[in-house]
Amino acid sequence: MRGHFRKAVLLAAVLTAACAQTERPSTTGRPPTPWVSHAIPEAKGEVKILPDGKKVHVRYKGWTTEDFSQFRTYAYDDMRPAPPVSKAPMPPVTGDPKAGRKLFLARAKGPCTGCHLIPGDDVWPAGNVGPDLSTYGDRKLPDEYVFTQVYDSRKFFPNTTMPPWGTAGILTPEEIVHIVAFLQTLKGPVAPEKDPNRNPDTRAKPVGFGDNLDPTNNPAVVLAEGAMSLWSKKGPTGKACADCHGGGPEKSMKGVATRYPRYVTAFQRVMSIEDFLTVHAPATTGLGMLAQSDDNLHMTVLIKMQSNGMPVSVDVSSPEARAAFERGRASYFKKVGQRSHACADCHTKGAGQGAEKFLGGRLLGDAETGFTKHFPLWRTSQAAVWDMRRRMQWCMTPLGMNMLPADAVEYAELELFLTAFDNGQPMSVPGIRH
Amino acid sequence: MPEIGTVRIRIPSRIRRGDVVRVRCLVIHPMEIVQRDKAGKPIEKNYHFINKVIMTYNAREVLQAETTQSMSENPFFSFAFKATEAGMLKITFLDTHGGKYEGTAEIKFS
């Protein structure tokens, strides 16, 4: 009897192990050895130790250098689990609604107003990803409940998009007590809105910047046309792009970009045009074309422009591409960083999800409408050409997370997942966005 | 990367004699903005920005504008003029470092 039981336990253990084995993500289509980044130093996502022993994360000029090594990223070798749900007792301090309001608006903390609307002309610009809290106090919720909701909302809503402010250490328990005291003072009726743009529900949506392919409207077009000199520039091997790709980019590159990102057999990984140029240019012309360098970006725009108007048609059916697509999908839904956010939190439609709602003053895009067909684009607020990778790296920085190298396989597969939504839609590169 | 001073001009594809033509142009230029020291005082130096725009038509000056640092990087200009004769439109940008950048567009009547 006892022997049978033991056997059963052993069998169960073996079965569980087998199941765990099959549940591990497929590695089909992933490079056999770790990918060596060919990116400019700012785009490599490296951690540097300063002479005074302080650790900093190397990012682009003007970006934060804060090191978020302790929080998990999209890296496939990062097996750390999401931070566990935690609860803290309410500290015995008296909440100060005034201090709470200040914390609610503090940009260095949340700001809570990025997602939640409260009354006040100084609340600018508020978002509407989360519920409107203008009359939250009328709900007469117990303080303890509201405290836990802010401390770690996952306690009540396991799939919430709200960051666990307390668990992540962004807000201290004392600070949360003040915020709770403030929220309890929010009672209706709310005065009628003076400015429709203050309320994200009635705010005008951005209308864009006109014709993105007009060179007098979009500087990226002019920059890409400048890459024509690079196209015919002879490298150390005595060869130029033009020597192998006859007929100029307009002929030789027509329709090429519609198939990227794709699984490239020669390099055994998924690559975007940018990734491919980093290794293809040195191998042929001998010229370096590091990811995120001006040469790489402008050449990418020049190549992609030749496919403008043609429908995007990336392959997600070959075994390698399919596996990569699935890994990209897993990344899209993976909760990462200090704030424990997933891409899906902001870019998927639904209650409590961000797509087509305002995060502060920014209107969040819906991934299902297709994000990539106008990338690389000109960013009017940055006065620079940004490709999908830099956009991803930027997205991840305020989430409290270290970035991966711009040409990382993880990003390429996430990009493939996103580009699959663009399939069938006409390309229009370079775009122009704020 | 195009050098500073790449000029792009865009005019309507069909122009008839006597039409008011809207000219759009863009120049690649850093348009350096004023820098301040730690105390918030502007740093004195010869900032690099476009300070004059001259537009001529068949060598006749049509427009002259004095510009400042308040304009954006890679500035865009748009203006209209009446084309009574066919000819060559020339736009010249002058900057504070002695740079002179020119762009031309031919106006033909259809």
Side-chain angles (χ1 to χ4, degrees), chain A residues 214-217 219 222-223 225-226 294 298 378 383, chain B residues 1-2 6 8-10 24-26 28 73-74 76:
Chain A
D214 178 349
T216 61
N217 190 40
V222 184
L223 296 173
E225 285 169 358
D294 283 347
H298 298 164
W378 179 257
Chain B
M1 167 122 196
T6 305
R8 283 300 302 256
I9 302 176
R10 208 173 181 211
R24 300 159 61 85
C25 68
L26 179 134
I28 299 290
E73 193 178 349
N74 308 330
F76 163 75

Side-chain angles (χ1 to χ4, degrees), chain A residues 289-368:
Chain A
M289 218 175 256
L290 299 178
Q292 297 302 325
S293 64
D294 283 347
D295 282 357
N296 183 305
L297 288 171
H298 298 164
M299 184 57 88
T300 302
V301 177
L302 180 68
I303 291 168
K304 285 197 159 186
M305 276 166 75
Q306 314 310 326
S307 303
N308 275 347
M310 299 171 75
V312 175
S313 57
V314 291
D315 168 42
V316 285
S317 56
S318 74
E320 291 87 0
R322 190 75 221 165
F325 174 87
E326 291 300 340
R327 285 190 295 269
R329 186 214 296 273
S331 295
Y332 183 78
F333 288 103
K334 183 180 179 184
K335 296 258 186 188
V336 289
Q338 185 184 31
R339 296 186 172 216
S340 194
H341 269 315
C343 305
D345 289 356
C346 280
H347 299 294
T348 305
K349 266 185 166 177
Q353 310 280 103
E356 294 187 3
K357 290 182 199 155
F358 281 97
L359 174 65
R362 292 151 295 184
L363 187 66
L364 295 166
D366 178 1
E368 288 188 31

Side-chain angles (χ1 to χ4, degrees), chain A residues 172-312:
Chain A
T172 64
E174 287 76 23
E175 286 173 333
I176 299 177
V177 170
H178 296 317
I179 290 174
V180 171
F182 164 64
L183 289 172
Q184 298 292 22
T185 66
L186 293 174
K187 300 222 162 108
V190 183
E193 202 67 68
K194 277 175 274 172
D195 183 351
N197 280 336
R198 198 195 76 88
N199 186 329
D201 291 325
T202 52
R203 188 180 299 152
K205 303 223 158 143
V207 292
F209 294 86
D211 181 3
N212 60 307
L213 303 180
D214 178 349
T216 61
N217 190 40
N218 187 351
V221 180
V222 184
L223 296 173
E225 285 169 358
M228 272 309 290
S229 60
L230 210 57
W231 180 265
S232 47
K233 183 178 169 186
K234 296 228 185 266
T237 61
K239 275 191 175 171
C241 308
D243 291 333
C244 294
H245 303 284
E250 53 275 55
K251 195 158 164 259
S252 58
M253 290 297 148
K254 194 174 172 67
V256 169
T258 60
R259 298 190 291 273
Y260 281 82
R262 70 182 185 93
Y263 180 77
V264 183
T265 317
F267 298 102
Q268 295 180 278
R269 61 162 284 189
V270 171
M271 289 180 143
S272 65
I273 303 250
E274 293 93 330
D275 299 332
F276 186 69
L277 287 175
T278 63
V279 283
H280 178 67
T284 49
T285 64
L287 286 171
M289 218 175 256
L290 299 178
Q292 297 302 325
S293 64
D294 283 347
D295 282 357
N296 183 305
L297 288 171
H298 298 164
M299 184 57 88
T300 302
V301 177
L302 180 68
I303 291 168
K304 285 197 159 186
M305 276 166 75
Q306 314 310 326
S307 303
N308 275 347
M310 299 171 75
V312 175

